[in-house]
PDB file of all heavy atoms in Angstrom:
ATOM      1  N   ARG A1536     119.030  95.246  90.563  1.00 98.00           N
ATOM      2  CA  ARG A1536     120.092  94.243  90.730  1.00 98.00           C
ATOM      3  C   ARG A1536     119.555  92.828  90.515  1.00 98.00           C
ATOM      4  O   ARG A1536     120.260  91.978  89.974  1.00 98.00           O
ATOM      5  CB  ARG A1536     120.744  94.378  92.137  1.00 98.00           C
ATOM      6  CG  ARG A1536     121.646  95.582  92.286  1.00 98.00           C
ATOM      7  CD  ARG A1536     122.520  95.474  93.523  1.00 98.00           C
ATOM      8  NE  ARG A1536     121.728  95.352  94.728  1.00 98.00           N
ATOM      9  CZ  ARG A1536     121.295  96.379  95.441  1.00 98.00           C
ATOM     10  NH1 ARG A1536     121.595  97.618  95.034  1.00 98.00           N
ATOM     11  NH2 ARG A1536     120.593  96.202  96.534  1.00 98.00           N
ATOM     12  N   LEU A1537     118.349  92.593  90.927  1.00 98.00           N
ATOM     13  CA  LEU A1537     117.750  91.272  90.721  1.00 98.00           C
ATOM     14  C   LEU A1537     117.647  90.947  89.247  1.00 98.00           C
ATOM     15  O   LEU A1537     117.982  89.839  88.804  1.00 98.00           O
ATOM     16  CB  LEU A1537     116.332  91.182  91.368  1.00 98.00           C
ATOM     17  CG  LEU A1537     116.269  91.307  92.896  1.00 98.00           C
ATOM     18  CD1 LEU A1537     114.823  91.274  93.293  1.00 98.00           C
ATOM     19  CD2 LEU A1537     117.060  90.194  93.566  1.00 98.00           C
ATOM     20  N   LEU A1538     117.177  91.906  88.478  1.00 98.00           N
ATOM     21  CA  LEU A1538     117.036  91.678  87.014  1.00 98.00           C
ATOM     22  C   LEU A1538     118.372  91.506  86.332  1.00 98.00           C
ATOM     23  O   LEU A1538     118.553  90.710  85.391  1.00 98.00           O
ATOM     24  CB  LEU A1538     116.254  92.832  86.389  1.00 98.00           C
ATOM     25  CG  LEU A1538     114.792  92.957  86.865  1.00 98.00           C
ATOM     26  CD1 LEU A1538     114.151  94.166  86.280  1.00 98.00           C
ATOM     27  CD2 LEU A1538     114.013  91.726  86.511  1.00 98.00           C
ATOM     28  N   GLN A1539     119.370  92.273  86.822  1.00 98.00           N
ATOM     29  CA  GLN A1539     120.698  92.128  86.279  1.00 98.00           C
ATOM     30  C   GLN A1539     121.300  90.726  86.540  1.00 98.00           C
ATOM     31  O   GLN A1539     121.903  90.107  85.683  1.00 98.00           O
ATOM     32  CB  GLN A1539     121.617  93.212  86.865  1.00 98.00           C
ATOM     33  CG  GLN A1539     121.294  94.629  86.342  1.00 98.00           C
ATOM     34  CD  GLN A1539     122.048  95.702  87.122  1.00 98.00           C
ATOM     35  OE1 GLN A1539     122.607  95.464  88.215  1.00 98.00           O
ATOM     36  NE2 GLN A1539     122.096  96.900  86.558  1.00 98.00           N
ATOM     37  N   LYS A1540     121.082  90.261  87.773  1.00 98.00           N
ATOM     38  CA  LYS A1540     121.585  88.912  88.105  1.00 98.00           C
ATOM     39  C   LYS A1540     120.852  87.774  87.356  1.00 98.00           C
ATOM     40  O   LYS A1540     121.402  86.740  87.109  1.00 98.00           O
ATOM     41  CB  LYS A1540     121.469  88.695  89.630  1.00 98.00           C
ATOM     42  CG  LYS A1540     122.445  89.555  90.408  1.00 98.00           C
ATOM     43  CD  LYS A1540     122.333  89.269  91.906  1.00 98.00           C
ATOM     44  CE  LYS A1540     123.357  90.119  92.686  1.00 98.00           C
ATOM     45  NZ  LYS A1540     123.355  89.904  94.154  1.00 98.00           N
ATOM     46  N   LEU A1541     119.611  88.060  86.975  1.00 98.00           N
ATOM     47  CA  LEU A1541     118.834  87.095  86.168  1.00 98.00           C
ATOM     48  C   LEU A1541     119.169  87.209  84.705  1.00 98.00           C
ATOM     49  O   LEU A1541     118.615  86.429  83.890  1.00 98.00           O
ATOM     50  CB  LEU A1541     117.347  87.275  86.408  1.00 98.00           C
ATOM     51  CG  LEU A1541     116.828  86.850  87.788  1.00 98.00           C
ATOM     52  CD1 LEU A1541     115.371  87.259  87.922  1.00 98.00           C
ATOM     53  CD2 LEU A1541     117.014  85.394  88.037  1.00 98.00           C
ATOM     54  N   GLU A1542     119.998  88.173  84.340  1.00 97.00           N
ATOM     55  CA  GLU A1542     120.448  88.365  82.932  1.00 97.00           C
ATOM     56  C   GLU A1542     119.269  88.680  81.982  1.00 97.00           C
ATOM     57  O   GLU A1542     119.251  88.256  80.869  1.00 97.00           O
ATOM     58  CB  GLU A1542     121.202  87.104  82.436  1.00 97.00           C
ATOM     59  CG  GLU A1542     122.311  86.663  83.340  1.00 97.00           C
ATOM     60  CD  GLU A1542     122.813  85.258  82.988  1.00 97.00           C
ATOM     61  OE1 GLU A1542     123.136  85.030  81.791  1.00 97.00           O
ATOM     62  OE2 GLU A1542     122.870  84.400  83.875  1.00 97.00           O
ATOM     63  N   LEU A1543     118.319  89.488  82.493  1.00 98.00           N
ATOM     64  CA  LEU A1543     117.183  89.836  81.687  1.00 98.00           C
ATOM     65  C   LEU A1543     117.273  91.288  81.224  1.00 98.00           C
ATOM     66  O   LEU A1543     117.541  92.166  81.989  1.00 98.00           O
ATOM     67  CB  LEU A1543     115.871  89.678  82.489  1.00 98.00           C
ATOM     68  CG  LEU A1543     115.479  88.193  82.885  1.00 98.00           C
ATOM     69  CD1 LEU A1543     114.316  88.167  83.833  1.00 98.00           C
ATOM     70  CD2 LEU A1543     115.162  87.400  81.597  1.00 98.00           C
ATOM     71  N   PRO A1544     116.948  91.529  79.950  1.00 98.00           N
ATOM     72  CA  PRO A1544     116.893  92.905  79.470  1.00 98.00           C
ATOM     73  C   PRO A1544     115.678  93.583  80.075  1.00 98.00           C
ATOM     74  O   PRO A1544     114.576  93.015  80.144  1.00 98.00           O
ATOM     75  CB  PRO A1544     116.749  92.767  77.959  1.00 98.00           C
ATOM     76  CG  PRO A1544     116.225  91.373  77.730  1.00 98.00           C
ATOM     77  CD  PRO A1544     116.719  90.514  78.887  1.00 98.00           C
ATOM     78  N   TYR A1545     115.861  94.826  80.541  1.00 98.00           N
ATOM     79  CA  TYR A1545     114.781  95.544  81.241  1.00 98.00           C
ATOM     80  C   TYR A1545     114.821  97.004  80.950  1.00 98.00           C
ATOM     81  O   TYR A1545     115.792  97.556  80.430  1.00 98.00           O
ATOM     82  CB  TYR A1545     114.957  95.301  82.776  1.00 98.00           C
ATOM     83  CG  TYR A1545     116.231  95.904  83.348  1.00 98.00           C
ATOM     84  CD1 TYR A1545     116.190  97.225  83.819  1.00 98.00           C
ATOM     85  CD2 TYR A1545     117.412  95.232  83.322  1.00 98.00           C
ATOM     86  CE1 TYR A1545     117.349  97.831  84.286  1.00 98.00           C
ATOM     87  CE2 TYR A1545     118.573  95.812  83.844  1.00 98.00           C
ATOM     88  CZ  TYR A1545     118.558  97.101  84.307  1.00 98.00           C
ATOM     89  OH  TYR A1545     119.696  97.682  84.775  1.00 98.00           O
ATOM     90  N   HIS A1546     113.712  97.668  81.243  1.00 98.00           N
ATOM     91  CA  HIS A1546     113.720  99.115  81.353  1.00 98.00           C
ATOM     92  C   HIS A1546     112.865  99.524  82.511  1.00 98.00           C
ATOM     93  O   HIS A1546     112.004  98.730  83.025  1.00 98.00           O
ATOM     94  CB  HIS A1546     113.344  99.797  80.055  1.00 98.00           C
ATOM     95  CG  HIS A1546     111.937  99.582  79.574  1.00 98.00           C
ATOM     96  ND1 HIS A1546     111.487  99.844  78.296  1.00 98.00           N
ATOM     97  CD2 HIS A1546     110.788  99.134  80.221  1.00 98.00           C
ATOM     98  CE1 HIS A1546     110.205  99.604  78.189  1.00 98.00           C
ATOM     99  NE2 HIS A1546     109.781  99.171  79.332  1.00 98.00           N
ATOM    100  N   ILE A1547     113.052 100.767  82.998  1.00 98.00           N
ATOM    101  CA  ILE A1547     112.373 101.279  84.142  1.00 98.00           C
ATOM    102  C   ILE A1547     111.513 102.450  83.714  1.00 98.00           C
ATOM    103  O   ILE A1547     112.027 103.328  83.020  1.00 98.00           O
ATOM    104  CB  ILE A1547     113.327 101.737  85.258  1.00 98.00           C
ATOM    105  CG1 ILE A1547     114.322 100.573  85.602  1.00 98.00           C
ATOM    106  CG2 ILE A1547     112.562 102.162  86.501  1.00 98.00           C
ATOM    107  CD1 ILE A1547     115.430 100.998  86.591  1.00 98.00           C
TER     108      ILE A1547
END
Side-chain angles (χ1 to χ4, degrees):
R1536 286 195 300 272
L1537 294 177
L1538 295 176
Q1539 290 170 343
K1540 290 181 178 182
L1541 290 173
E1542 307 166 53
L1543 291 172
Y1545 65 91
H1546 66 196
I1547 307 173

